[in-house]
Structure formats: C-alpha cells, structure tokens
Amino acid sequence: TGNDITRSHIEGSGQFDIDETWRWGFSGTRASDDTYLKRYNFDSADSLTTTGYIEGFSGRSYASISAYTFQGLRAGDDPGQTPLVLPVIDYNYLSAPGRFGNTRRFDVNVMALTRNEGTDSWRLSLHPVWQVPRIGAAGDILTLTAELRADGYIVNDVPDPRGTTQPNRNGLTGRLVPQVSADWRWPLVRAEAGSSQVFEPLINLIVSPYGGNPNDIPNEDSQNFEFDDTNVFDANRFPGLDRIEGGPRLNYGLHYGIYGRNGQSITALIGQSIRARTDDTFAQRTGLEKRRSDYVGRFDISPTPYFSFYNRFRLDRQSFALRRNEITAALGTLDLGAEVTYVRLSRELTSDEITGREEINLSGRAKISQY
C-alpha cells in the first residue's frame, strides 16, 4: 500500500419508484486499493462493478438507460484499460398475439464503451423478430421465426485477433444477418392415477449465413460463454450482442417428466447441436468447436416438498466422458434447511486454461424469529 495509512471501501444499493411506469436505482462497491477487501475479509472478488439505471415497464414493452464502471483488483489489472460503459440504452417491444397467434418483437440497443488506453466501441443494434406458433392435429407444436440483426459500430484501436502485424482498426463497421428458424416439439402426455408423464422430443433448425463476426468488431460482452442445458436449444447461444452464431445448424433432444399431484416430480433433459460445417465461432474446449457438439443435459428429482436433487452435466461427444458435472441436493423447509453442491470440470471451459477443477459448497439457513 506504499505510504497509505487510511484504507476504506463503500458499498451500497437502492431502488426508488418514480411513478407506476418508471423507477431508478444503483448498486456497487469501490475500494481504496486492490488488497483491502481480501485483507479484512470483506470480499474475495477480483473485480468490482458499480451501476446506475433508470428503467420503465409499459404493457409488454421495456426500456432502460444504465451505466457501468469497474474496478479491477488483480495484480495485472491496468486502470487505463478498464472500460467505462456510458450509456447502455435498451428498448424491447413485444406485440399482443395476432389472429393466428403471431407476435412481433423489436429490440434496440445503444452502447458506448470507452477506455483511457485500448479499444473503444460505440454500438447501435436493431433486432426485429416475427414469430408464429402452430399446433398440429397430433398435438405437436411448430414455431416459425424470422429475424434480422442489424448492428453498426464505430470502433477505435481494435487489434487484429490473429496476432498479425496489421495496424489496429478504426472507423465504421457493422453486419446485417438474416435468420429463419423452425422449432418443433411434440409433448406426449399420459395421465395415470396420482401422476402424469410427459415425453417430448424437441428439434429446432436454424438457417443463417456464415461470417457474422468480422475481426473489426470487438468482443466486449460475449466472452463468458458456457454451453449447457439452458442454451442447447437457443438460436443464438452467446450471452451478449457482440458475437452471433451463424450457419445452418440443428439442435435436437428429449425431455421427460413425471409429475405427482402433491408436487413431486422427476424430470430429465438431454440435447446436442449439429452444425453444417465448423468455423472459428466457438473457442476450443467449449463443447461446440466441432461439427457435432458435446451432449448436455440435466436430471431433477423432487420426491417431497422438503427434498430436491438435480444433476447438470456435459458429456464428450465421442467418449461420453464427463466434461462438466454439477450436483446439488437441498433438504429442509423455508424456516430451516441445508444445501450441498459439488462441481467438477475435467478441463476449463475457456480457451486459455486447461486445468481441471473440483469444488464443493455447503450452505444452511435457520429462521430465528419473524425478523
């Protein structure tokens, strides 16, 4: 800490209603130096995020304006390369269902991200979507979707990710990516005394052009990617807007469930993705780097309202070896309970690390009084 004799931090959050439509709020933490929070056991985070926002809800639509600042606490963090995101503007419109159940959606995003040193980017993203569901005579459900991603960027000092000697890129860039998809599922239900079963095959086919991620578009919001059971059937699996998934691809899987009248349930899901050809959209060891993806799924058991167990997994596409395994068991009521979670990674899910990892987490809760 050098000659510093005073060390401190501030942490706070708040949310305030303006009227029935709009509200504003903030949350965040700042520390006087990198090691203070860990030294005094306040927090073990390696970065701190502070945000403020205004947001509004009207019917099916949503709008927000927000800003983000960050403080890196790792030894290698450079404050000059830490971004300021101001503003982020989001608008999401969803129409009421039409005569045939069709809906229209329109998403708008504006973002300005700047650094004292390094890459800057200003983004305008427009995303119109048209969707219509159809229920067949056999009870199968077919949902057709047509959408367009139109993204414009003004960028500054973007390095070539291939590590060439080309100068850093500046100026105006963008992309225009149309996409059509068909999602088909057939929930077959069997009712019995005291329970019901659901067996549901799922298939979705997505068609869009390749090459939706040019090198002069920086990746600021889609670096933390994980392929799992929550996104195996998504048309675009990236969490942010800077990266999109392109090319023809087919996702398929099975869902099975048993549901009791008293809240008991057993459910299982497994799925896989197949692409027409491989490209560099996904990094190595993500499970999607090959033409056939790894298998992902989950298994949930709740035999009573007081006990639940679930297992989420990722299996190697060829050997069926476990690449990711997460097991959680919870026991108790709202007043008293305990939970144990075990996570095993056979290899790290990012392209710059290859080490395995095992973690176990125990937690418990007890209600002492009404407050």
Side-chain angles (χ1 to χ4, degrees), residues 13 50 57 118 132 140 179 209 272 302 354 368:
S13 63
T50 300
F57 308 82
V132 57
D140 58 308
Q179 180 172 281
Q272 187 186 39
S302 296
I354 57 173
I368 300 172

Side-chain angles (χ1 to χ4, degrees), residues 1 4 6-8 31-37 48 71-73:
T1 61
D4 294 340
T6 301
R7 309 177 72 185
S8 60
S32 59
D33 56 80
D34 291 353
T35 60
Y36 165 78
L37 292 176
L48 305 177
Q71 181 182 5
L73 303 181

Side-chain angles (χ1 to χ4, degrees), residues 2 37 50 80 84 136 197 204 263 275 321 328:
L37 292 176
T50 300
L84 169 67
Q197 299 183 51
N204 73 10
R275 294 188 289 160
T328 296

